[in-house]
Amino acid sequence: MLEQQLVNGLVLGATYALFALGFTLMFGVMGVINLTYGVYFAVGAFAALWSTQALGLPIAAALPLGALIAGVIAVAIDTLLLTRLRKAKAPELASLMVTLGATLFLYAGMAAALGTEIRRFPAGVFDGGAYQLGAVRIGATQILIFGAAVALVVALMALVRGSRLGLAIRAVAENPDAAALMGINGGLMLRVVSFLSGALGGAAGVLVGLNFNAIQPFMGEHMMLRGFAVIIVGGLGDLRGALAAGLLLGFAEVLTAAYISSTFKDLTAFALLVATLWFRPLGLFGRAAAKRA
């Protein structure tokens, strides 16, 4: 029924939005599409899985730990791969190709070290009960996923829009040279953005892994396709657009699978992407940049 599908779409859309927010933040501040972002998604999921198996942590502790580890990995990769390119003012294509090569290398390394079989969280890591609200059945896992996604989104928005750190990040994104003249450490702000983006990607990996209870090294590839669609539909670099487009894609996929065919579910992101480029190339919240002679 429609009400149940809307609940499912809301939960799925929240995870898409969380994943895309970090991707969008990274692009909006750094001006480069970092293809290693999908790796952070898988790293967060595996870190949480390890913490529940080896340390016996509950999911409430495994989630922030997975996000933290993914954020640290993101800073390390950015420092290793992109810092030198930024100092040399290399073209955007150079950064794109470097991160593409790094992604292939990292995926292959994870597959060799961890194997490609699907892994699952231990039984009982989280109470999988459900609640009946009228005709709608809501699982406890769905409530956790939606609540965690909303909390992280609100925290990110508050940080970016309502703090001095967020103001410094937006200044670096707008004009790095002017920000440096105002005493803002641009390199530090970029590392902060790398950490935040990686942490959001890692948290999304934990939540998606918990939702489907399936974790494997290449799980980030699937989400990267959605991430591309979301940031383009929402408007490149716009956090509000990423949030709206993530929810839109979640609803569209669930309703397509329920009322048309699950065969076409994976085509939904591509269809939204093409429609956006045809009718609103700048995205839902995108704005044309002013050019001066």
Side-chain angles (χ1 to χ4, degrees):
M1 61 181 62
L2 179 60
E3 294 87 351
Q4 184 66 60
Q5 299 305 328
L6 290 178
V7 170
N8 297 338
L10 184 64
V11 174
L12 182 62
T15 58
Y16 285 166
L18 180 61
F19 178 84
L21 278 173
F23 199 17
T24 300
L25 179 65
M26 188 175 289
F27 175 82
V29 177
M30 299 181 178
V32 61
I33 296 178
N34 189 338
L35 298 179
T36 61
Y37 190 74
V39 175
Y40 312 148
F41 180 82
V43 165
F46 270 102
L49 177 66
W50 170 81
S51 67
T52 58
Q53 292 178 334
L55 304 180
L57 296 180
I59 196 65
L63 173 59
L65 180 61
L68 176 64
I69 292 175
V72 172
I73 295 296
V75 173
I77 291 177
D78 179 80
T79 302
L80 180 65
L81 297 180
L82 298 179
T83 299
R84 184 177 294 274
L85 293 179
R86 282 195 292 265
K87 290 181 178 179
K89 298 187 183 299
E92 294 179 1
L93 182 60
S95 299
L96 186 65
M97 297 307 296
V98 166
T99 57
L100 173 60
T103 299
L104 297 175
F105 174 80
L106 291 170
Y107 277 139
M110 290 180 65
L114 302 172
T116 57
E117 68 276 5
I118 293 178
R119 304 191 183 192
R120 307 185 189 282
F121 283 105
V125 70
F126 183 74
D127 181 14
Y131 304 94
Q132 194 75 29
L133 299 177
V136 178
R137 184 178 177 84
I138 305 176
T141 303
Q142 290 179 308
I143 296 175
L144 171 65
I145 292 170
F146 181 74
V150 169
L152 289 170
V153 168
V154 170
L156 176 65
M157 292 296 187
L159 175 66
V160 173
R161 297 292 178 183
S163 69
R164 292 177 62 87
L165 177 60
L167 180 62
I169 290 174
R170 286 185 282 130
V172 172
E174 183 69 25
N175 192 321
D177 295 330
L181 292 175
M182 297 298 294
I184 298 175
N185 187 334
L188 176 60
M189 291 302 102
L190 293 180
R191 287 191 288 274
V192 170
V193 168
S194 292
F195 175 81
L196 292 174
S197 300
L200 289 173
V206 178
L207 295 178
V208 170
L210 181 65
N211 188 33
F212 297 104
N213 203 12
I215 299 172
Q216 52 99 2
F218 297 101
M219 60 189 293
E221 288 186 332
H222 171 83
M223 286 296 290
M224 280 296 291
L225 298 176
R226 268 72 177 171
F228 275 120
V230 167
I231 66 171
I232 292 176
V233 172
L236 292 172
D238 193 290
L239 296 179
R240 299 169 304 163
L243 177 59
L247 293 172
L248 176 62
L249 179 58
F251 284 123
E253 284 194 355
V254 168
L255 294 176
T256 298
Y259 294 104
I260 301 178
S261 172
S262 58
T263 305
F264 299 110
K265 177 183 176 182
D266 291 336
L267 298 178
T268 306
F270 177 73
L272 284 175
L273 175 62
V274 171
T276 300
L277 293 176
W278 278 352
F279 300 108
R280 190 172 175 81
L282 296 176
L284 297 176
F285 291 85
R287 293 176 294 177
K291 295 184 179 180
R292 299 180 181 179

